Amino acid sequence: MDKCRGSSGILIIGAGLSGIVAATRLLQNNFKNVQILEAEDRIGGRIHTIPFADNVIDVGAQWCHGMQRNCVYEMVKDQDILHPTGDYYSTMKMVRSNKELVPHEVGSTMHDIVAGSMPSGPHPVVGSSGTHLAENFWRRIEAELPHVDRTLAREALDSFAKHESSIVGADNLFEVSVREHIEYHDCDGDKLLHWGTKGFQRFIRLLMNVGEDQPEDLGLLAGHVHLGKKVTRIELARPRKVILRCEDGDYFEADHVICTVSLGVLQEQHEKMFIPPLPPAKVNAIRSLNLGTVNKLFLEFEQQPLPDDWVGFYCFWLEQDLKELRKTEYSWLEGITGCHKTTCQPRLLMAWVGGSHGRHMETLSDEKVLEGLQWLFRKFLNFEVPAPKRFLRSKWFTNPNFRGSYSLRTTKADEHDTGPWDLETPVTGPDGHLGLLFAGEASSRNYFSTVHGAVEAGFREADRLIGLYSSCGPNS
Ligand SMILES: Cc1cc2nc3c(=O)[nH]c(=O)nc-3n(C[C@H](O)[C@H](O)[C@H](O)COP(=O)(O)OP(=O)(O)OC[C@H]3O[C@@H](n4cnc5c(N)ncnc54)[C@H](O)[C@@H]3O)c2cc1C
């Protein structure tokens, strides 16, 4: 090793969580020349906390999903900053498109049947989660709810399957591999831990070691982040050097590059971005895995429009209503999985819209989206929901720096025998030099799609470089 930690130049592409943790760990291990190039004019990536209504909202990641083996939880568990959200999704009302309220007992049994019919357990199975769910759901309905109206059960299956799709980030469960649940490791413990009045941004500030009273301070990363620097070319051609070119004409050289851009950005850009082209195994993974779209819609009211004993509601579409909806300009409303209250925001309602409907919603104006939501409220609810004071929605797919929300394991990845491990594999230069490393949530073997996956991947690649320079000694 010619160079040591102090002199080796490391560039990180992306100031999302993966990039931030990689940079902080390298700096804490005596790497001095560490720079992050970020295309957006802010740090955080798919964590984006902004002031709204009575507090803040998280336009991207919101919850710490689980406790055991969750590196995010591990880092903060001794501080009193994570709070339970409560059992939101199993207590939401179920409303049909003729305004009929589904009796709670029947509805929650069907909810549990859907949850219990998703692939689970250690045994490998083949096929799609959609097929697995449909088969098991109807078998269990016969056994556990033999007298339930089959029309209602079909509506419940459609609604809860949509909810499950948005959890994994898929357009529908038929594109999701049943292996998703084997490769993705659920972290035991509360899956919906929220960050109180500060939002997920609180975690970023902790990582950077910045106090709450210094909103602009980058703490440990001060002087190491370049905002508005969109990398367009990564050249691994010269011996022991990687060259990065940016959209604004700027040019950087480094010994090592850690690329943390989303799978969606890689899918769109990899052919133009990397010189020489990426190895076939990595291209196979980029093309076979998927970055799904899940969007959030936030409505601020003068007063909370839902009754006190409602947390929120799922939409159960009657078959005929759905057929009619699909012929109208509001067809994207089929993608709304539900609408609910949210923590620390007494006057807010939040809805989710995913998949192709979520992408279509992004193409509409705010006015049109709001008009659609108000139509939906009138269609489903037997009480009036007034016009909101303010409205905001995410557009994760349209933004070229993301091109989606979070990654999932597809049946296509099964067919092509690939997975996050192929995204993770570093690329060496012609001289065998470890020039290009990959992090980002989609490269996490067991925690893809999450913040803790992004964090784990960022640490993994920082540790790879720390290991590479271990012969230099920690202080050289
Ligand atoms: C709506 C939504 C809800 C979610 N909810 C949760 C949740 O509750 N809990 C959870 O654990 N996870 C959740 N997630 C997932 C979580 O947000 C992500 O898995 C995680 O934040 C990804 O971090 P990352 O560093 O891998 O990628 P990113 O955050 O995407 O960071 C990559 C960075 O690279 C930058 N970039 C892209 N292209 C370039 C370029 N050419 N040059 C320079 N910079 C570039 C991007 O601007 C971005 O800042 C959610 C995501 C979304 C969208």
Side-chain angles (χ1 to χ4, degrees), residues 12-21 36-48 58-66 70 72 166-167 184 191-193 195 200 226 228-234 245-247 259-263 265-266 269 273 291-296 298 350 352 394 396-397 399-407 439-443 447-455 457-458:
I12 297 173
I13 308 174
L17 257 281
S18 234
I20 289 173
V21 298
I36 306 184
L37 305 180
E38 167 55 54
E40 295 274 315
D41 59 3
R42 61 174 182 87
I43 63 164
R46 281 172 273 168
I47 290 185
H48 191 196
D58 275 309
V59 182
Q62 180 170 357
W63 293 295
C64 173
H65 291 314
N70 182 324
V72 172
S166 84
I167 292 174
Y184 179 84
K191 306 273 190 294
L192 297 181
L193 292 167
W195 298 85
F200 222 128
H226 305 260
K229 285 281 169 222
K230 183 167 178 133
V231 176
T232 49
R233 281 288 181 94
I234 303 169
R245 296 181 197 280
C246 295
E247 200 173 50
C259 179
T260 76
V261 304
S262 75
L263 176 61
V265 171
L266 287 176
Q269 297 294 331
M273 203 179 211
L291 191 78
T293 302
V294 181
N295 277 309
K296 294 180 177 179
F298 299 94
M350 188 179 136
W352 298 78
S394 62
W396 289 106
F397 178 75
N399 188 323
N401 298 324
F402 300 97
R403 291 292 186 227
S405 303
Y406 37 87
S407 67
E441 55 86 7
S443 74
Y447 304 112
F448 51 87
S449 80
T450 64
V451 173
H452 52 284
V455 170

Side-chain angles (χ1 to χ4, degrees), residues 81-392:
I81 51 177
L82 278 173
H83 312 280
T85 298
D87 205 1
Y88 259 46
Y89 292 112
S90 56
T91 51
M92 278 163 59
K93 304 284 184 200
M94 293 146 210
V95 192
R96 304 178 81 190
S97 52
N98 60 2
K99 298 188 171 58
E100 201 180 294
L101 208 56
V102 178
H104 183 72
E105 215 166 294
V106 179
S108 70
T109 307
M110 290 193 292
H111 181 269
D112 293 348
I113 289 179
V114 168
S117 302
M118 289 297 286
S120 65
H123 306 296
V125 273
V126 288
S128 78
S129 294
T131 312
H132 190 91
L133 168 63
E135 285 169 7
N136 285 302
F137 176 79
W138 289 115
R139 200 171 34 75
R140 288 188 58 176
I141 286 284
E142 291 299 332
E144 293 167 45
L145 282 178
H147 304 300
V148 78
D149 174 3
R150 292 299 185 267
T151 307
L152 180 64
R154 155 64 55 197
E155 292 164 18
L157 175 62
D158 287 350
S159 176
F160 295 139
K162 226 179 291 167
H163 177 66
E164 294 290 340
S165 300
S166 84
I167 292 174
V168 292
D171 275 20
N172 62 68
L173 291 176
F174 294 98
E175 71 163 313
V176 185
S177 161
V178 279
R179 276 174 59 187
E180 164 118 359
H181 81 277
I182 293 173
E183 275 155 26
Y184 179 84
H185 291 184
D186 240 348
C187 298
D188 288 340
D190 197 330
K191 306 273 190 294
L192 297 181
L193 292 167
H194 72 91
W195 298 85
T197 54
K198 308 288 182 206
F200 222 128
Q201 180 183 259
R202 176 90 191 262
F203 181 59
I204 300 183
R205 301 180 72 72
L206 282 171
L207 287 170
M208 299 190 308
N209 203 9
V210 183
E212 289 306 320
D213 50 341
Q214 302 148 292
E216 301 304 320
D217 193 355
L218 294 182
L220 286 174
L221 294 185
H224 295 275
V225 182
H226 305 260
L227 297 177
K229 285 281 169 222
K230 183 167 178 133
V231 176
T232 49
R233 281 288 181 94
I234 303 169
E235 298 174 17
L236 199 61
R238 288 208 219 143
R240 295 197 52 76
K241 271 277 166 270
V242 191
I243 297 169
L244 298 191
R245 296 181 197 280
C246 295
E247 200 173 50
D248 61 5
D250 229 350
Y251 155 103
F252 295 82
E253 274 191 11
D255 295 290
H256 311 278
V257 166
I258 304 179
C259 179
T260 76
V261 304
S262 75
L263 176 61
V265 171
L266 287 176
Q267 284 174 337
E268 187 178 66
Q269 297 294 331
H270 78 91
E271 285 173 359
K272 288 176 265 170
M273 203 179 211
F274 296 94
I275 298 172
L278 291 173
K282 197 175 288 293
V283 173
N284 185 28
I286 290 171
R287 290 186 178 148
S288 303
L289 294 165
N290 206 359
L291 191 78
T293 302
V294 181
N295 277 309
K296 294 180 177 179
L297 310 155
F298 299 94
L299 300 110
E300 177 193 354
F301 296 92
E302 294 285 356
Q303 285 172 354
Q304 176 55 244
L306 292 189
D308 289 348
D309 61 340
W310 284 43
V311 169
F313 61 96
Y314 290 105
C315 300
F316 281 20
W317 282 99
L318 269 62
E319 195 180 356
Q320 189 53 34
D321 284 346
L322 197 53
K323 274 190 185 148
E324 278 162 27
L325 176 82
R326 286 174 180 158
K327 291 183 211 144
T328 72
E329 60 177 327
Y330 298 140
S331 59
W332 65 273
L333 291 169
E334 185 181 352
I336 298 263
T337 50
C339 192
H340 56 76
K341 297 175 181 172
T342 184
T343 44
C344 306
Q345 286 282 13
R347 297 181 296 115
L348 210 79
L349 269 188
M350 188 179 136
W352 298 78
V353 57
S356 58
H357 299 295
R359 289 191 289 278
H360 180 65
M361 181 280 297
E362 293 189 24
T363 65
L364 304 174
S365 67
D366 277 358
E367 291 71 29
K368 274 284 160 205
V369 175
L370 199 49
E371 187 185 299
L373 285 172
Q374 287 173 299
W375 183 90
L376 186 88
F377 295 148
R378 285 196 298 277
K379 177 86 188 148
F380 277 83
L381 302 176
N382 61 13
F383 51 86
E384 202 194 327
V385 174
K389 269 180 75 178
R390 220 169 134 203
F391 170 65
L392 193 143

